[in-house]
Amino acid sequence: MNITRRHTLALLGGASAGLFMPAIARANVTEISAHYSMPAIFQPAQDAVLAAFSAKHPEVKVTYVNPTPTYEDGAQLLLRNATTGNMPDVSFQGLNRLRMFAERGIAVDLAPMLAQLGDPAEFGYSKPILGLGFHGGMQCGLAFATSNPISYYNADLFKKAGLNPDAFPTSWDGVIENAQKIRALGNGVDGMFFRWPGDDWMFSALLYGHGGRMLNEAETEVAFNGAEGLAALTLLDRFVKEGGMPNYAGTADLQAFAAGQLGMMFRTTAQVRSVANSIGTNFELRTTTLPIIDPVKGRLPTGGAGAMITTKDAARQEAAFKFIKFATSAEGTALMAMNTGYVPCNQIAIDDPQYLGEFYAQNPLFQAATKQVHLMQPWYAFPGQNSVRVTQVMVDNLARIVEQKATPEVVLADMATEVAKLIPRK
């Protein structure tokens, strides 16, 4: 059975495969629990992966605990449960949170388990891929899904505004100009929305795009408070002032876009599948790469999730490793990519066209992120016990710009001061 056929069966039947299996008692079955976040994006992929894994490994029964709405909620859940001992055996956490769980001794070192396989590269775990889950001298996770931010746009609105949908702007100046023309259509239509709320990921896209970084190399001082950081915040300010960007909360931008009331949307590639499904045949959806800021120094953050093991029980660890090894295998990562929009994170799936070659050829909407892989660098993981608080501080300060309550200069100074108080003093 080829991967496309297998994917189709998993996509259609994955959600129910674990629920309707005959209740046959089996000896030597190890039961483990697993947690993930963002079910609106990940549920089809997680269900497909679980169905395929269960068919191949009847000796392991995996049960998903209630998924959390966001990566931040997922991190907070595990931190709370760590104090009570009520932990899932496996957790899919945001790549920028793996470091925190390694530093707190919650994540299990996967290096000994990987060593038993032999050469990890033979299983698709290249050094860069392993590096996404390597922190504090330990392999605390395996990358399950990786992403970068892309451009979504309504080709029909482009045409109505007299714009060429085959020539999407390659600069943010061009995006702002297009947003003005689309907004001029009236009838409640907005030109653009840059997905800034929730965490620091999309801000880092603007910061990295200018060649900036969050902290200095020694991780002792804030580094985003220079020219690159100011340029990033000034651009966000221009989106509001010149591009007319509304202050959408929650999923309001997704709803407006699906309804044909938003011309351009800048978000993670992870939502290609769900965005396309929500639009249906309402209008012609297109995707493309993010506008370039600095063609030499500019980079993009690697978002996504990594699978980590938390259980200290030897039998459950063995079962948990079987599960995450399958989830991050060429077959597992192909199912994940086809059901979401994330970039594959197994080198075999990337290199061998039997896994995703036909899929990408038939689904051009999914190709934008793959064209930006060379620009990807890790989503920065702030050190210390306050990494979650740092993220919230940054989001709260970005809100002041979008709400037009403070200038980029004031916000940059305040954000730098507040973050500096939260990072470890070495």
Side-chain angles (χ1 to χ4, degrees):
M1 182 183 294
N2 63 40
I3 190 67
T4 304
R5 172 65 173 162
R6 185 163 58 240
H7 151 68
T8 302
L9 294 179
L11 181 60
L12 294 176
S16 58
L19 299 176
F20 296 103
M21 288 179 67
I24 301 174
R26 295 190 299 267
N28 301 321
V29 174
T30 303
E31 298 188 11
I32 61 172
S33 59
H35 156 266
Y36 67 92
S37 294
M38 300 197 297
I41 296 175
F42 275 117
Q43 184 174 345
Q46 291 285 7
D47 286 343
V49 168
L50 178 56
F53 172 79
S54 298
K56 291 191 172 185
H57 294 276
E59 76 280 8
V60 178
K61 180 180 179 181
V62 182
T63 301
Y64 287 133
V65 300
N66 289 335
T68 42
T70 68
Y71 285 143
E72 300 308 307
D73 293 326
Q76 294 286 10
L77 174 71
L78 241 63
L79 291 176
R80 290 194 302 269
N81 286 1
T83 64
T84 65
N86 185 28
M87 297 276 285
D89 300 302
V90 171
S91 183
F92 293 83
Q93 288 285 333
L95 290 172
N96 69 324
R97 294 294 174 232
L98 294 178
R99 177 179 183 171
M100 176 178 67
F101 292 113
E103 292 177 344
R104 296 192 180 205
I106 294 174
V108 171
D109 189 359
L110 303 178
M113 304 177 206
L114 286 168
Q116 293 179 7
L117 299 178
D119 182 2
E122 294 183 2
F123 294 84
Y125 301 123
S126 65
K127 287 184 178 179
I129 288 172
L130 286 176
L132 294 173
F134 190 86
H135 296 285
M138 65 180 285
Q139 193 67 47
C140 54
L142 293 176
F144 170 65
T146 57
S147 66
N148 55 59
I150 64 170
S151 308
Y152 298 80
Y153 63 106
N154 183 326
D156 292 3
L157 285 181
F158 264 58
K159 294 173 184 177
K160 290 180 181 178
L163 302 169
N164 181 3
D166 296 326
F168 192 85
T170 57
S171 71
W172 287 110
D173 287 339
V175 166
I176 291 172
E177 291 175 7
N178 279 13
Q180 293 170 344
K181 294 178 180 179
I182 293 171
R183 194 162 184 249
L185 294 173
N187 297 319
V189 171
D190 285 307
M192 67 172 293
F193 184 74
F194 185 86
R195 182 65 189 175
W196 64 270
D199 52 45
D200 56 34
W201 192 61
M202 289 299 285
F203 166 70
S204 69
L206 299 181
L207 178 67
Y208 296 170
H210 284 95
R213 56 185 299 151
M214 289 294 189
L215 301 185
N216 63 1
E217 290 189 14
E219 297 188 314
T220 56
E221 297 179 0
V222 168
F224 62 75
N225 57 342
E228 299 89 354
L230 180 59
L233 293 181
T234 299
L235 195 51
L236 183 63
D237 189 53
R238 290 184 62 203
F239 293 163
V240 180
K241 282 189 171 75
E242 300 173 37
M245 186 178 79
N247 186 13
Y248 285 132
T251 60
D253 60 318
L254 291 171
Q255 296 167 8
F257 191 74
Q261 294 296 106
L262 178 61
M264 295 173 288
M265 183 172 65
F266 305 92
R267 269 181 167 264
T268 172
T269 183
Q271 292 170 292
V272 170
R273 173 69 66 187
S274 58
V275 169
N277 288 344
S278 70
I279 291 168
T281 58
N282 290 348
F283 58 83
E284 182 187 355
L285 167 67
R286 295 198 192 181
T287 64
T288 189
T289 54
L290 211 65
I292 295 171
I293 297 177
D294 188 317
V296 177
K297 297 185 296 182
R299 295 292 183 269
L300 292 174
T302 303
M308 68 181 193
I309 295 176
T310 64
T311 179
K312 305 303 188 290
D313 178 85
R316 293 208 302 274
Q317 273 189 12
E318 181 181 352
F321 185 67
K322 285 182 180 179
F323 178 55
I324 68 170
K325 182 165 73 73
F326 178 82
T328 58
S329 69
E331 181 178 352
T333 204
L335 289 171
M336 176 280 303
M338 290 186 286
N339 280 280
T340 57
Y342 278 104
V343 178
C345 54
N346 182 287
Q347 199 63 45
I348 296 173
I350 294 170
D351 295 339
D352 192 335
Q354 73 165 307
Y355 289 98
L356 289 163
E358 180 183 349
F359 173 77
Y360 282 128
Q362 296 177 357
N363 295 271
L365 291 176
F366 290 74
Q367 294 177 12
T370 65
K371 297 176 182 178
Q372 300 180 141
V373 168
H374 65 291
L375 297 175
M376 292 169 64
Q377 67 182 43
W379 184 3
Y380 186 68
F382 283 92
Q385 303 293 306
N386 296 316
S387 58
V388 175
R389 289 182 60 193
V390 168
T391 296
Q392 192 58 52
V393 162
M394 299 184 81
V395 172
D396 290 344
N397 275 286
L398 295 176
R400 296 166 66 199
I401 290 180
V402 177
E403 294 167 0
Q404 295 291 281
K405 293 181 177 179
T407 65
E409 290 81 5
V410 169
V411 167
L412 184 65
D414 290 348
M415 187 161 66
T417 299
E418 293 175 50
V419 170
K421 294 177 181 178
L422 295 172
I423 60 176
R425 299 180 182 275
K426 298 182 180 181

